[in-house]
Amino acid sequence: MTSVFKALAFAGAVAVSTALTPAAFAAKTDITVGAQLEPPNLDPTSGAAGAIDTVTYSNIFEGLTRFGPDGSINPGLAESWSVSNDGKVYTFNLRKGVKFHDGSDMDAEDVKFSLERIGADDSTNAQKALYADIESVDVVDPHTVKITLSKPNGNMLFNLAWGDAVIMSPETAANNATNPVGTGAFVFKDWVQGDRVEMERNADYWGEPAKLEKVTFKFIADPNAAFAAVMAGDVDTFMPFPAPENLPQFDADPRFRVIAGSTEGETILSTNNKMPPLDNPKVRQAIAHAIDRQAIIDGAMFGYGTPIGTHFAPHHPSYVDLKGQSNFDPDKAKALLAEAGHPDGFKTTLKLPPPSYARRGGEIIASQLRDVGIETEISNLEWAQWLEQVFKGKDYGLTIVSHTEPLDIGIYARPEYYFQYDNADFQKIMTDLNNTTDPGERDKLLKAAQKKIADDYVNGYLFQLANTGVVNAKLQGIWENAPTQAADMTAVYWED
Amino acid sequence: MLPFVIKRLVSLTLSLVAASLVIFFVIEVVPGDPASFMLGLNASPETVAALRDSLGLNASAPIRYWQWITGLLQGEFGISYTYKVPVRDLILDRIWISMPLAVYALILSTVIAFPVGVLAASRRNSPTDVSIMGVTQLGIAVPNFWFGMLLVLLFAVTLGWFSAGGFPGWEAGFFAGMKALTLPAVALALPQASILARVMRSSLLDTLGEDFVRTARAKGLTRRQALWRHALRNALIPVLTIIGLQFSFLLAGAIIIENVFFLPGLGRLVFQGITQRDLIVVKSVIFLLVFAVILVTFIVDITYAIADPRLRRARS
C-alpha cells in the first residue's frame, strides 16, 4: 500500500468519524437489521430460501397482492380485482404511475411476463406448483390484466401475495439475482457477499414513502456473534433471534424490546407413513400420546411457541383446537403399542436437521419415546443431507421440521410427499377446497382437513414456531408476526 | 542448483494434480444435491431437474473435472451456484480480508513471541521464565474462538471500544479496516505467539549450549553479549520455519474466527459454501488454499537450498 493511499485513507477515516458524531444526536433515519441467514441471491422467484424474502419482500419487490402484518391479503400493485362467478377468471386493475427502480413504467405487460415466467418449462421457481392452475394471462389494457385459470383455485389471491410471484420487468429479470430491480419502497444499493445488503429509500415510490432513508441487512450466522452484535449495538434489530436462551437477558435490558409473535411454521414430528411399524395408525397414535408438547416448548424453545394439535396455524380464523386428541398420556401410549402388537416397543430412526428446535426438541422427544418403550437412533444431519436422505430419499422413521410456508396443509394431499400420507378422503377435501371460493364453505373444508389429519395421526403435531426477536426499544413499526418470511421495513421508524 | 529447482517444480506440479483430484472426488461424494437444497420443500422434481440442468450438474464426472481444471488454468473458476456471480470475484473480494488478517496476526504473534522467548531463555529457570512458560502453556491450551468471544465480551459489549465483529470494507478507510481486524487478529495470534515463544526459547537455549557460544564466552563476552551477538541469529532458523508454517495455518485456519467475528473472508466463504452445497465455490477456494500452501513450501525449500549448499547437494 503506498503512503499516498494510506494518507488518503487516514484523511477519509477522520472525515467520516467527524461527520458521524453530530448525526448521532439527530433522529436516526437508518437501520441495521441482523439476520442469521444470508440470501443465496436476491431474486425471490428463483429459490426457496426464506432469507431471499426476508431481505427483498415488499422492500424491493412487490406482487399484485401483498401480505399485511396480520397475514391478511391486501392490494399490492393491483389496486382492486374482481373474480368471475365460476371462480376461473380474475381481473386485476393495476395501480397507475408505478415505476420500476430503473425508471421504466410498470404495466400489464410486466405482469404477464412475470406470471408466465413462473410457468415456463425451464422455470426454476420453487413454488411453481402454486401457480400451475394459471392457464393464460391476458393484457386487457396497460392497467388491466385478466388471469384465466384451468380450474377454480380459492387460494389464488393468497398465492399471488407470495414472494415467488412478485412483478419484475423483462429487461432486468435476468439480473435480479445480483442486482434486483423492483417497484418497492426501497432501492437496492449494494451487496457485499457474506456480509451485508444495503438499500435506500425510493424517492419515486407510488405509495407512502418509507420513513427510513437507509436499511442495511447484516448477516451473522453464529448465535454467540449475534448476541454480541446486539449487545454492542452493531445491529438495531435481530429477527428471528437464533438463540431463545438469550431472550430473557434482552428482556431485562431497558435498551431492548423482545418480540414473540406468531409465524406460519408448524413444527411437527414428521413420520414416515410407509415405514413399518409407523404405517400402523395405532403406532402413530401411541407416539402422539407419548409426547409432552409443553416439555418440548420449555426445554427446546425456552417457553416460546404455541402447542398445536394439527397442521394449522392457531392464529388462523379456521383453526380447530385438536390437542385433546393427542394429549400427553404415556399409559395410553403403552396400551396402544401393545394393541398394535408391539408390547415391548420397537426401534426406529430420528433424523434431525440443524435448527435448535429440531436438535434440542429431538433429544427431549427421544427421551419421552423411550419412556413408553420406543427406542430412537438419533442422527444429526445438515440441511443438504436432510433434503437428500429424508425429504427426497424418504429414508427415515421420524424427523422434526418446521413447515414455514403459510397455509400449507395441502402438502398432505401429495402422496409422494416425504411423509407419504396417501388418503383419498383427504385428497378430496383439498380438491373441493380449491374449487370453492365461498368463505363459509372454505372454512368448513379447512376444518374438516385439520380434523382428518389429526384423526389419522399422520405426524406428531408439536408447536407453532414463535417469531422471536430483539428490537431496539426506540424502534417502531417492526412486524411482530411473520405471515411470510419478510422483514418489511416500509413502515419502520425511530422514535425520538 | 537448476536441476534441484526443476525437480522441485515437477514435484510441485504433481502435488497440485493429486490435490485437485482428491478435492474434486471428495466433493463429488459429499451427500446433498445443490439444486434440491436451493429449491426447498415445495419444489416439484421437474423444477429440480431444470435447475440441475442449468447448473451443469448433469454432465459426467470426468467431463466436469476437465471443465473445472481447464477453467482454473485460464483463471476462470466458474459461476457460484447460489450467488450467481463468478467465483473468482467472490474470492478476490474476500482475499482482501483473509490475507490482511493473516498477515496482521502473524506480525502480532511475532512481535509478541520474540521478546518473550528471548527473555525466558536469557533468564532460564528464573521466576520470569517459569511464569512465561506457564502463560504460554495456557495460550496454547485456550481455543482461539473462545478467546475471541471473551475479547468481544470485554472490548465490544462491556467497554464498547470495538464493534462485535463485521468488516466495514477498506473503502471506509485503512484504520477502520484495521480496527475491525484487531480483535480477530489478537484472537488468532495468541496461540501462535505462545507456540512461537516456546520455540524461540528452546532454540535459543540449544544454541547457547553450542561450542561457538562457549568460545565466545571464553573470549570474555558476558552471557548476554554472547546471546545477542552470536546465539540469536543461529537460533532463528527453526523459528523462521515455524513462522512459514503458521502463515499457511493462519490463512486457511481462520474459518472459525471469521464466524465468531462475522468477517466475510475466505474461511466464511468455504463454510457457507459447504452448508449451501455451493460446491463449485468450495472446490475452488480449497484448491487455492492448497496451492498457497504448496507454493510456500516450494519457496521455503528453495530458500533453504540457497542458504545451505549441503541440502542442495544431498537432494540433487
Side-chain angles (χ1 to χ4, degrees):
Chain A
M1 201 167 290
T2 65
S3 54
V4 176
F5 179 75
K6 261 196 246 173
L8 279 177
F10 179 69
V14 171
V16 167
S17 54
T18 43
L20 282 181
T21 325
F25 296 103
K28 263 181 90 168
T29 54
D30 64 319
I31 183 176
T32 305
V33 182
Q36 193 182 18
L37 297 176
E38 178 178 27
N41 66 69
L42 297 175
D43 179 354
T45 67
S46 76
I52 306 177
D53 279 5
T54 304
V55 172
T56 63
Y57 187 78
S58 279
N59 293 327
I60 295 175
F61 287 110
E62 299 170 303
L64 290 176
T65 54
R66 74 191 276 176
F67 287 109
D70 58 348
S72 57
I73 301 300
N74 301 326
L77 293 176
E79 206 165 32
S80 60
W81 52 81
S82 58
V83 186
S84 67
N85 288 336
D86 63 357
K88 280 162 76 169
V89 180
Y90 285 68
T91 308
F92 289 94
N93 303 309
L94 305 182
R95 276 178 214 280
K96 299 195 171 76
V98 178
K99 280 190 189 306
F100 284 107
H101 298 151
D102 64 354
S104 60
D105 290 317
M106 191 285 299
D107 61 23
E109 291 291 347
D110 299 311
V111 175
K112 181 177 161 72
F113 164 78
S114 301
L115 297 182
E116 284 181 346
R117 186 167 166 264
I118 301 173
D121 286 339
D122 59 348
S123 155
T124 54
N125 192 304
Q127 312 296 343
K128 195 175 172 182
L130 290 182
Y131 313 99
D133 293 339
I134 297 181
E135 201 172 61
S136 65
V137 183
D138 298 300
V139 174
V140 178
D141 65 53
H143 297 289
T144 314
V145 179
K146 196 172 80 180
I147 298 178
T148 311
L149 306 182
S150 53
K151 57 181 174 23
N153 184 331
N155 275 335
M156 196 42 79
L157 291 172
F158 179 82
N159 294 348
L160 287 172
W162 286 46
D164 305 86
V166 295
I167 303 305
M168 41 188 60
S169 151
E171 285 80 35
T172 53
N175 297 325
N176 277 339
T178 50
N179 184 23
V181 174
T183 54
F186 291 98
V187 182
F188 170 76
K189 200 75 194 147
D190 191 21
W191 179 15
V192 180
Q193 271 100 0
D195 189 47
R196 62 184 183 270
V197 169
E198 294 173 352
M199 50 186 88
E200 283 175 359
R201 176 160 62 196
N202 177 5
D204 299 323
Y205 188 54
W206 55 265
E208 191 186 332
K211 297 182 177 82
L212 294 169
E213 272 167 25
K214 190 176 174 205
V215 177
T216 305
F217 283 91
K218 183 118 190 121
F219 308 111
I220 304 175
D222 182 66
N224 288 309
F227 175 76
V230 174
M231 289 303 270
D234 290 356
V235 298
D236 300 310
T237 171
F238 207 114
M239 291 201 62
F241 191 79
E245 60 271 32
N246 291 137
L247 293 171
Q249 198 174 344
F250 291 133
D251 213 11
D253 192 323
R255 291 180 294 161
F256 308 115
R257 186 156 50 90
V258 167
I259 281 179
S262 63
T263 71
E264 297 298 322
E266 290 83 18
T267 311
I268 59 175
L269 177 70
S270 293
T271 308
N272 190 339
N273 279 240
K274 287 260 161 74
M275 179 184 272
L278 302 166
D279 55 344
N280 183 342
K282 279 233 154 49
V283 171
R284 297 198 301 265
Q285 189 183 353
I287 291 177
H289 286 295
I291 293 171
D292 179 359
R293 295 185 180 95
Q294 200 55 47
I296 297 165
I297 295 173
D298 291 342
M301 305 308 290
F302 295 81
Y304 294 99
T306 315
I308 51 171
T310 180
H311 194 109
F312 215 72
H315 53 86
H316 194 284
S318 300
Y319 174 74
V320 203
D321 185 357
L322 297 166
K323 291 196 292 287
Q325 257 172 263
S326 46
N327 60 321
F328 176 49
D329 187 348
D331 293 332
K332 189 169 180 191
K334 280 184 203 155
L336 281 161
L337 278 179
E339 232 178 281
H342 300 279
D344 303 320
F346 59 90
K347 234 185 130 163
T348 188
T349 55
L350 177 56
K351 299 197 170 175
L352 304 173
S356 58
Y357 65 71
R359 294 279 165 90
R360 290 179 185 154
E363 301 285 343
I364 300 170
I365 287 185
S367 118
Q368 292 174 352
L369 291 179
R370 195 173 304 123
D371 290 343
V372 301
I374 302 171
E375 283 297 326
T376 52
E377 185 196 323
I378 290 186
S379 38
N380 290 336
L381 305 179
E382 278 180 279
W383 271 122
Q385 287 174 301
W386 185 88
L387 285 167
E388 186 90 2
Q389 287 183 28
V390 177
F391 192 71
K392 219 160 118 192
K394 290 144 190 149
D395 173 21
Y396 77 105
L398 301 168
T399 182
I400 300 175
V401 71
S402 201
H403 283 259
T404 52
E405 278 82 12
L407 207 61
D408 55 1
I409 195 169
I411 54 180
Y412 287 76
R414 289 160 61 176
E416 84 293 355
Y417 206 62
Y418 76 106
F419 39 72
Q420 306 190 82
Y421 172 61
D422 189 356
N423 183 289
D425 295 339
F426 184 84
Q427 287 154 19
K428 181 168 183 321
I429 299 176
M430 279 298 125
T431 316
D432 291 347
L433 182 70
N434 275 339
N435 292 337
T436 313
T437 44
D438 174 63
E441 204 51 41
R442 285 180 63 80
D443 178 64
K444 252 186 240 160
L445 288 165
L446 282 173
K447 285 179 172 150
Q450 295 173 52
K451 184 94 180 64
K452 180 70 194 153
I453 57 169
D455 287 348
D456 284 350
Y457 297 94
V458 182
N459 294 313
Y461 306 104
L462 305 177
F463 59 91
Q464 195 75 13
L465 209 59
N467 186 36
T468 48
V470 53
V471 180
N472 186 303
K474 288 189 174 153
L475 209 51
Q476 300 295 324
I478 297 264
W479 283 19
E480 304 257 330
N481 300 327
T484 183
Q485 289 192 29
D488 188 326
M489 291 290 132
T490 51
V492 174
Y493 64 95
W494 287 95
E495 212 175 52
D496 290 333
Chain B
M1 184 72 191
L2 192 66
F4 173 71
V5 173
I6 292 172
K7 232 175 156 178
R8 294 276 86 199
L9 268 176
V10 169
S11 129
L12 173 136
T13 316
L14 287 178
S15 309
L16 283 178
V17 171
S20 74
L21 278 167
V22 170
I23 292 168
F24 184 83
F25 286 100
V26 164
I27 289 199
E28 272 303 289
V29 298
V30 169
D33 169 34
S36 326
F37 180 78
M38 287 160 72
L39 290 171
L41 303 191
N42 275 13
S44 65
E46 299 82 64
T47 319
V48 176
L51 184 61
R52 278 186 66 84
D53 210 37
S54 77
L55 293 177
L57 289 169
N58 287 337
S60 71
I63 291 179
R64 277 179 294 126
Y65 175 74
W66 181 247
Q67 286 170 341
W68 179 53
I69 286 299
T70 48
L72 283 181
L73 290 175
Q74 296 160 17
E76 276 306 323
F77 293 63
I79 307 285
S80 157
Y81 298 156
T82 46
Y83 286 132
K84 315 244 195 256
V85 296
V87 176
R88 193 188 48 215
D89 296 356
L90 283 175
I91 291 176
L92 282 179
D93 279 352
R94 285 164 184 239
I95 214 161
W96 287 111
I97 293 169
S98 293
M99 187 74 92
L101 177 62
V103 172
Y104 193 175
L106 194 69
I107 291 174
L108 271 181
S109 77
T110 313
V111 166
I112 298 168
F114 264 61
V116 169
V118 173
L119 186 70
S122 66
R123 303 200 180 157
R124 186 180 188 182
N125 292 336
S126 71
T128 318
D129 182 29
V130 172
S131 35
I132 288 176
M133 284 297 98
V135 170
T136 52
Q137 186 64 56
L138 193 69
I140 296 172
V142 167
N144 58 13
F145 69 90
W146 184 75
F147 183 58
M149 289 184 221
L150 290 189
L151 289 176
V152 168
L153 283 180
L154 178 61
F155 291 104
V157 174
T158 310
L159 296 173
W161 294 352
F162 289 90
S163 290
F167 189 71
W170 291 109
E171 65 274 10
F174 177 74
F175 288 97
M178 291 308 278
K179 190 181 170 192
L181 294 182
T182 297
L183 291 185
V186 170
L188 273 176
L190 176 88
Q192 306 297 336
S194 302
I195 296 170
L196 208 55
R198 293 174 78 93
V199 171
M200 183 82 215
R201 173 183 177 274
S202 55
S203 163
L204 203 50
L205 287 177
D206 283 351
T207 324
L208 283 173
E210 297 264 350
D211 289 347
F212 70 90
V213 178
R214 198 175 51 200
T215 312
R217 293 270 277 141
K219 280 193 332 191
L221 264 62
T222 64
R223 193 178 149 79
R224 184 157 299 179
Q225 283 169 328
L227 188 154
W228 285 105
R229 291 191 199 159
H230 297 280
L232 190 59
R233 193 181 297 177
N234 285 288
L236 279 180
I237 293 165
V239 174
L240 290 176
T241 313
I242 298 285
I243 292 180
L245 287 175
Q246 283 188 342
F247 186 70
S248 326
F249 173 81
L250 286 171
L251 193 60
I255 295 185
I256 296 175
I257 282 294
E258 286 180 4
N259 268 298
V260 169
F261 290 95
F262 45 104
L263 291 170
L266 281 180
R268 205 164 119 84
L269 182 65
V270 173
F271 188 76
Q272 272 186 320
I274 291 171
T275 50
Q276 298 177 339
R277 288 298 182 273
D278 198 343
L279 301 180
I280 194 159
V281 168
V282 178
K283 302 196 274 221
S284 303
V285 177
I286 293 180
F287 185 76
L288 198 75
L289 292 174
V290 169
F291 179 72
V293 171
I294 292 179
L295 194 69
V296 168
T297 317
F298 173 74
I299 293 170
V300 168
D301 279 353
I302 299 290
T303 327
Y304 279 177
I306 293 169
D308 190 343
R310 284 173 302 177
L311 275 173
R312 191 155 72 213
R313 273 196 298 278
R315 290 196 194 172
S316 55

